Amino acid sequence: DFGHALLIGGNKTMKGAILLASKSGLRSGVGKLSVSLPKDYIRELNISLPESIIFQESKSISEYTAVGIGPGLGTDLSAKKKVESFLLQRGNLPLVLDADALNIISKNFDLLKLCKNSIITPHIGEFKRLCGDFKSDEEKLEKQQRFSIKHKLIIILKGAHTSISTTDGHVFFNSTGNPGLATAGSGDVLCGIVLSLLSQGYQSTDAACLAVYLHGKAADFALERQSVESLIASDIIDNLGLAFEFLK
């Protein structure tokens, strides 16, 4: 009843990213989570997160309720082929694209047409590779809005004041979070939350806004026992329960 999500990522140097995204997805209420990752990491995933399911190549992507691609994926030729293959199979499945998936798309712009009505979660560097540079926050916001409308994408532009732009040009600004979120793996945690909410049936705009809010709120709760300097991505996951309870 709460969806079966598929998360695709992981490579030799960034396996932590897929582990963080997987754990945050499960902590955000998804019914089941399958993970597609290199075979070398299967044992580690089973040990660190036994609640997850290993993706079976024989399974059709249509059997899932939402798909997330990118955390720790890498940008080599095999990663590009994997992204292209899944996008071609996607159909109308809810989709979130993060990290290396965005870097691959920025070098292969023809793939954008396969991403319509999905959510992308760039940080500033990834955003510039997709949309070009800017000289002011106003220009950045205008570029974000135009890109969302033109390519039919919901964009979560991560930063000190995370902005969420929709396909009809609306923009939402998040009110939670702190500078501790500028830590390695924080974006992977957010990707997992977005994927989980999409899989549970939330509409894309609602999933994006709620995920960003919960992500920031969990980081705020984490500061009750940590500091901005000491906060790490796992602390965000550990406090997701408090963020959900706060909303209730």
Side-chain angles (χ1 to χ4, degrees), residues 36-37 55-60 82 86:
S36 173
L37 76 172
F55 172 68
Q56 302 296 317
E57 298 290 342
S58 59
K59 220 174 179 185
S60 169
K82 182 176 279 192
F86 276 102

Side-chain angles (χ1 to χ4, degrees), residues 108-236:
N108 303 273
F109 239 63
D110 57 310
L111 294 176
L112 262 180
K113 64 180 181 290
L114 302 174
C115 303
K116 287 182 179 179
N117 300 311
S118 62
I119 299 173
I120 67 172
T121 60
H123 57 53
I124 293 297
E126 292 158 350
F127 178 78
K128 287 180 178 179
R129 287 191 278 276
L130 284 168
C131 301
D133 204 354
F134 49 85
K135 296 180 180 179
S136 66
D137 285 341
E138 183 180 16
E139 185 183 358
K140 176 185 73 176
L141 186 60
E142 288 173 355
K143 280 180 175 285
Q144 181 183 353
Q145 285 179 294
R146 287 200 299 268
F147 202 83
S148 280
I149 294 169
K150 180 179 179 180
H151 298 287
K152 300 298 180 186
L153 296 168
I154 291 174
I155 302 175
I156 299 175
L157 180 51
K158 297 176 288 194
H161 303 286
T162 294
S163 53
I164 301 151
S165 54
T166 68
T167 57
D168 57 4
H170 287 95
V171 179
F172 300 88
F173 293 92
N174 187 41
S175 59
T176 62
N178 58 73
L181 284 170
T183 186
S186 175
D188 303 309
V189 172
L190 177 61
C191 177
I193 301 170
V194 175
L195 174 61
S196 177
L197 296 177
L198 282 176
S199 192
Q200 291 173 63
Y202 285 84
Q203 294 300 308
S204 294
T205 299
D206 294 336
C209 290
L210 181 56
V212 170
Y213 184 90
L214 287 165
H215 183 254
K217 195 66 182 175
D220 290 340
F221 277 120
L223 289 193
E224 294 178 7
R225 290 180 298 279
Q226 298 293 340
S227 68
V228 165
E229 296 82 2
S230 68
L231 192 143
I232 61 174
S234 296
D235 296 327
I236 305 168

Side-chain angles (χ1 to χ4, degrees), residues 10-22 41 44 71-72 185 188:
N11 68 21
K12 290 182 180 179
T13 60
M14 295 285 283
K15 59 185 175 182
I18 193 78
L19 294 175
L20 286 167
S22 299
Y41 301 160
E44 188 165 346
D188 303 309

Side-chain angles (χ1 to χ4, degrees), residues 30-137:
V30 69
K32 294 180 183 178
L33 177 74
S34 286
V35 185
S36 173
L37 76 172
K39 291 180 180 178
D40 293 347
Y41 301 160
I42 290 176
R43 182 173 181 273
E44 188 165 346
L45 181 69
N46 284 336
I47 292 171
S48 62
L49 202 62
E51 298 89 350
S52 61
I53 302 166
I54 304 302
F55 172 68
Q56 302 296 317
E57 298 290 342
S58 59
K59 220 174 179 185
S60 169
I61 195 172
S62 63
E63 296 181 43
Y64 300 94
T65 48
V67 180
I69 309 176
L73 182 65
T75 57
D76 59 14
L77 184 58
S78 64
K80 176 184 177 292
K81 288 181 177 179
K82 182 176 279 192
V83 169
E84 188 172 19
S85 172
F86 276 102
L87 287 178
L88 286 169
Q89 297 175 61
R90 174 202 170 194
N92 294 317
L93 271 178
L95 173 68
V96 55
L97 295 158
D98 183 40
D100 283 331
L102 300 179
N103 292 326
I104 288 169
I105 289 168
S106 69
K107 295 178 182 177
N108 303 273
F109 239 63
D110 57 310
L111 294 176
L112 262 180
K113 64 180 181 290
L114 302 174
C115 303
K116 287 182 179 179
N117 300 311
S118 62
I119 299 173
I120 67 172
T121 60
H123 57 53
I124 293 297
E126 292 158 350
F127 178 78
K128 287 180 178 179
R129 287 191 278 276
L130 284 168
C131 301
D133 204 354
F134 49 85
K135 296 180 180 179
S136 66
D137 285 341

